[in-house]
């Protein structure tokens, strides 16, 4: 009968240690889920949003399962909600609505980290009662030392998790910086494209007018025989999906076509 209290203490200690391991795994999965959610929300198009949303769903599922194992019901329910929002994000066909659900999941991801941390703290406060006699003090001390060593190991894992979270935060910050730089460069390029568009279309219009006027003079007619093309007039929205070089090449090709058409129409005036 004297062995029973010691076995009970050891069992409780091992159970507590295993529970802490599950909490650490759950916190790690939650950190990845939160990071993927932030990337999904911060993406600049629906394809990247849904790419990170798919990764976040997998991580939220892990959090949901682990939170259930360590009896953290609040984190389990919140992870389920976040996973559902990310699944809704995948089902959307517009950037705005996909990003909307990604933001909801991101906010829940931050909440999950708080809930898991609180559950872990409460679990760590569980008290193992004094059920052993004075004859078992040495065995209890040994078990206590083992638990203390395990808690030290858990603390080291927790610190490693904090380092990983900081690394992920730095990666996200660097990605945002690269995105901002890209958007600034793209805005400058679009401005240059718009300038070329306006000047090139005006020059081509003048060239067409000159060719029409020349055809009237040569044909002694009131109506020009040279037919205007006007296929070079575009809106600024047409510039969105092309580069500065693409814009230049477009107007160069239109000038070549206009010149080639004029040469064909004036071929009869050759010596």
């Amino acid at each position: 009968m004297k062995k029973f209290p010691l076995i009970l203490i050891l069992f409780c200690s091992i159970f507590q240690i295993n529970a802490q391991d599950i909490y650490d795994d759950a916190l790690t999965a939650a950190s990845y889920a939160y990071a993927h959610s932030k990337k999904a929300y911060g993406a600049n198009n629906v394809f990247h949003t849904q790419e990170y949303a798919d990764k976040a769903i997998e991580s939220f599922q892990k959090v949901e399962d682990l939170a259930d194992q360590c009896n953290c019901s609040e984190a389990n329910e919140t992870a389920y909600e976040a996973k559902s929002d990310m699944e809704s994000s995948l089902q959307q066909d517009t950037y705005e609505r996909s990003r909307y659900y990604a933001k909801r999941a991101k906010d829940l991801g931050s909440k999950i980290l708080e809930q898991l941390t609180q559950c872990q703290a409460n679990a760590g406060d569980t008290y193992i009662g004094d059920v052993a006699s004075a004859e078992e003090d040495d065995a209890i001390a040994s078990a206590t030392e083992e638990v203390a060593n395990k808690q030290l190991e858990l603390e080291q894992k927790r610190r490693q998790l904090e380092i990983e979270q900081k690394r992920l935060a730095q990666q996200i910050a660097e990605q945002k910086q690269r995105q901002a730089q890209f958007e600034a460069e793209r805005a400058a390029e679009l401005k240059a494209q718009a300038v070329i568009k306006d000047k090139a279309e005006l020059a081509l219009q003048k060239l067409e007018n000159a060719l029409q006027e020349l055809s009237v003079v040569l044909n002694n007619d009131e109506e020009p025989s040279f037919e205007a093309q006007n296929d070079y007039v575009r809106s600024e929205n047409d510039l969105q999906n092309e580069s500065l070089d693409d814009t230049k090449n477009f107007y160069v090709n239109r000038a070549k076509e206009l010149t080639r058409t004029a040469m064909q129409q004036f071929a009869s005036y050759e010596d």
Side-chain angles (χ1 to χ4, degrees):
M1 294 298 292
K2 291 183 179 180
K3 292 183 179 180
F4 179 74
L6 178 59
I7 294 173
L8 178 61
I9 290 174
L10 291 175
F11 176 78
C12 292
S13 299
I14 293 171
F15 179 80
Q16 184 181 26
I17 290 169
N18 290 336
Q20 292 295 333
D21 284 339
I22 296 175
Y23 276 118
D24 286 341
D25 292 341
L27 281 167
T28 300
S31 297
Y32 280 111
Y34 180 60
H36 292 322
S37 299
K38 289 184 69 175
K39 289 182 178 179
Y41 175 64
N44 64 343
N45 58 67
V46 67
F47 302 106
H48 287 166
T49 295
Q50 295 182 349
E51 176 185 356
Y52 288 113
D54 191 45
K55 295 179 180 179
I57 289 172
E58 182 179 354
S59 295
F60 279 128
Q61 181 62 61
K62 290 181 180 179
V63 176
E64 184 182 351
D65 295 339
L66 290 168
D68 181 59
Q69 292 179 35
C70 58
N71 297 320
C72 189
S73 59
E74 292 182 353
N76 173 266
E77 294 173 0
T78 306
Y80 175 79
E81 293 178 18
K83 182 186 69 175
S84 298
D85 283 334
M86 275 306 184
E87 289 173 344
S88 296
S89 179
L90 281 178
Q91 296 170 2
Q92 306 306 311
D93 56 359
T94 66
Y95 169 63
E96 291 77 10
R97 290 197 59 79
S98 182
R99 190 167 180 262
Y100 166 76
Y101 284 104
K103 181 181 185 303
R104 287 179 42 165
K106 177 183 73 70
D107 294 340
L108 290 174
S110 176
K111 185 178 180 181
I112 291 171
L113 287 169
E114 296 177 1
Q115 291 172 336
L116 285 171
T117 301
Q118 184 62 43
C119 283
Q120 186 180 35
N122 293 337
D125 292 337
T126 303
Y127 175 74
I128 300 177
D130 183 12
V131 293
S133 65
E135 297 177 357
E136 299 163 338
D137 285 347
D138 291 341
I140 295 175
S142 177
T144 302
E145 182 179 358
E146 183 180 352
V147 172
N149 291 335
K150 191 64 179 179
Q151 288 178 338
L152 179 60
E153 181 183 346
L154 292 174
E155 180 63 25
Q156 292 173 344
K157 287 184 179 180
R158 188 175 297 108
R159 290 178 182 175
Q160 184 62 37
L161 178 60
E162 291 177 355
I163 294 174
E164 181 66 18
Q165 288 175 332
K166 290 180 180 178
R167 185 183 67 81
L168 289 174
Q170 182 178 359
Q171 287 182 345
I172 293 171
E174 290 174 354
Q175 182 184 18
K176 287 184 177 180
Q177 184 178 4
R178 289 194 296 269
Q179 181 64 29
Q181 181 179 357
F182 169 78
E183 291 177 355
E185 291 174 354
R186 181 55 183 150
E189 185 180 39
L190 280 172
K191 185 177 180 180
Q193 288 175 251
V195 171
I196 289 178
K197 168 191 175 300
D198 293 340
K199 292 183 177 180
E201 290 180 359
L202 179 61
L204 289 172
Q205 181 63 56
K206 289 180 179 179
L207 178 58
E208 276 195 339
N209 292 340
L211 291 172
Q212 286 180 327
E213 184 177 352
L214 181 60
S215 69
V216 171
V217 172
L218 294 177
N219 292 320
N220 295 319
D221 198 352
E222 293 182 358
E223 295 293 331
S225 61
F226 180 83
E227 183 178 352
Q229 301 297 318
N230 290 327
D231 60 348
Y232 49 79
V233 178
R234 300 191 296 169
S235 68
E236 292 193 3
N237 287 335
D238 295 325
L239 307 178
Q240 295 287 340
N241 297 322
E242 64 185 32
S243 66
L244 179 60
D245 288 338
D246 292 336
T247 302
K248 290 180 179 179
N249 289 333
F250 174 83
Y251 290 108
V252 167
N253 291 332
R254 290 300 179 273
K256 289 179 179 178
E257 292 176 5
L258 188 59
T259 303
R260 184 165 51 252
T261 301
M263 291 178 65
Q264 292 174 352
Q265 293 193 18
F266 293 133
S268 59
Y269 294 97
E270 295 181 357
D271 293 337

